[in-house]
Amino acid sequence: MFQSIVDFLGSIFHYIYKYIVNIGISDVGLAYVLAIFTFTVIIRVLILPFNIKAAKSTQGMQKIQPEVKKLQEKYKDDKEKLGAETMKLYKENNVNPAGGCLPSLLPLPILMALYWVFMGIQDVNGASFLWIQDLFSPDKYYILPILAALSTYLPSYLMTKSTPAQPGGMNMGTMNLMMAGMMGFMSLNFKAILVLYWIIGNLIQTIQTYFLNYRPAMRDAEKGNENSLESEKPFMAVEEPKNLASKKRKNKK
């Protein structure tokens, strides 16, 4: 089964590469970089529906946060009851607390399959690009592994900022750093072209996360602050006439 996936992805990648060469791109390294860029865009477009669904789930969690906080206060001394009531609340509102994690996990099996695809490409001459002397060898300057770690952390950071904290949940900040560090470490031994796939995919994921998750969450937070300020205005309006009346009495005296 896995070998079938490897063969399928390999055939797609080779088709894209040959097409790019046929349209007149004679530089071998540039042709491979354009091929991996095109391939990555195709993969991310296919994954986009999952990102949209996950974003809706995250936004649903944001809306029920007041109810979650009430449960946390009500069952603060009973963690088991809190967990059960919280999951019940999620189910009633059709919210999946793990929905936001799915898009970040989907590219991993593809990464594993591409590892074997590129392992099968041997003796490619002239496949250099910018500072990378050989796209089918690890980056000896360690620039790509650093970019891989940073690009892994950024979308997960935006996702964490746009996702409400779960009661009894793990520290997502620490988990994001561990994931980024792991990908950076693994990239030290990955072929440069494979790391380029991961970096390009992460950059696209960052843009999607910003517009689908982070920006709507910040907008909802701003609306919530505005509503809280508006709810305080009537009390201010009641107090203001009293102050004016007292000042008038003092002036008369």
Side-chain angles (χ1 to χ4, degrees):
M1 178 64 181
F2 182 74
Q3 185 60 43
S4 300
I5 297 174
V6 172
D7 294 339
F8 176 69
L9 294 179
S11 62
I12 293 176
F13 178 77
H14 287 299
Y15 175 81
I16 295 173
Y17 173 74
K18 289 179 180 178
Y19 176 80
I20 290 174
V21 172
N22 290 335
I23 64 175
I25 305 298
S26 58
D27 185 278
V28 177
L30 179 60
Y32 271 113
V33 170
L34 291 176
I36 198 64
F37 176 81
T38 304
F39 180 87
T40 308
V41 170
I42 292 173
I43 294 298
R44 290 294 169 167
V45 169
L46 294 176
I47 294 176
L48 182 58
F50 295 98
N51 280 276
I52 294 174
K53 185 176 180 179
K56 291 181 179 179
S57 177
T58 302
Q59 291 165 12
M61 289 179 61
Q62 189 73 35
K63 291 179 180 179
I64 64 172
Q65 269 307 287
E67 298 299 323
V68 173
K69 290 181 179 179
K70 289 180 181 178
L71 291 176
Q72 291 174 343
E73 182 64 27
K74 183 177 180 180
Y75 300 107
K76 59 183 179 181
D77 297 325
D78 190 346
K79 298 297 183 182
E80 185 175 347
K81 183 68 173 178
L82 173 61
E85 291 297 322
T86 302
M87 295 307 298
K88 180 181 177 181
L89 179 65
Y90 289 155
K91 187 175 181 180
E92 291 175 349
N93 289 272
N94 195 27
V95 171
N96 182 5
C101 301
L102 182 61
S104 61
L105 297 177
L106 283 175
L108 292 176
I110 300 173
L111 179 71
M112 295 174 60
L114 284 178
Y115 173 84
W116 293 106
V117 169
F118 296 139
M119 284 290 290
I121 301 177
Q122 303 291 337
D123 301 325
V124 179
N125 297 321
S128 60
F129 182 74
L130 298 179
W131 74 89
I132 308 170
Q133 297 180 359
D134 184 4
L135 288 169
F136 292 90
S137 297
D139 179 11
K140 67 178 183 179
Y141 296 109
Y142 307 122
I143 296 175
L144 289 181
I146 294 173
L147 293 177
L150 292 175
S151 64
T152 300
Y153 178 75
L154 188 55
S156 59
Y157 172 79
L158 292 178
M159 180 64 73
T160 300
K161 286 294 183 181
S162 60
T163 305
Q166 302 304 308
M170 66 180 65
N171 189 327
M172 294 304 297
T174 302
M175 184 177 177
N176 294 339
L177 288 172
M178 290 177 60
M179 182 66 178
M182 182 183 70
M183 290 309 303
F185 178 76
M186 292 171 61
S187 297
L188 292 173
N189 297 314
F190 282 169
K191 293 185 177 183
I193 192 169
L194 183 62
V195 184
L196 278 174
Y197 157 76
W198 186 254
I199 294 171
I200 295 169
N202 284 336
L203 292 178
I204 297 173
Q205 182 65 41
T206 299
I207 296 172
Q208 291 178 349
T209 303
Y210 177 80
F211 286 103
L212 293 177
N213 299 92
Y214 182 78
R215 191 171 178 180
M218 295 301 102
R219 191 186 302 121
D220 291 341
E222 290 176 359
K223 287 182 180 179
N225 292 334
E226 290 176 0
N227 292 336
S228 63
L229 290 174
E230 288 179 0
S231 64
E232 294 176 1
K233 286 182 179 180
F235 298 99
M236 295 173 64
V238 171
E239 293 296 329
E240 188 174 358
K242 291 182 179 180
N243 293 334
L244 290 174
S246 61
K247 288 182 179 179
K248 288 179 180 180
R249 286 196 296 268
K250 290 180 179 179
N251 291 333
K252 288 180 180 181
K253 291 180 179 180

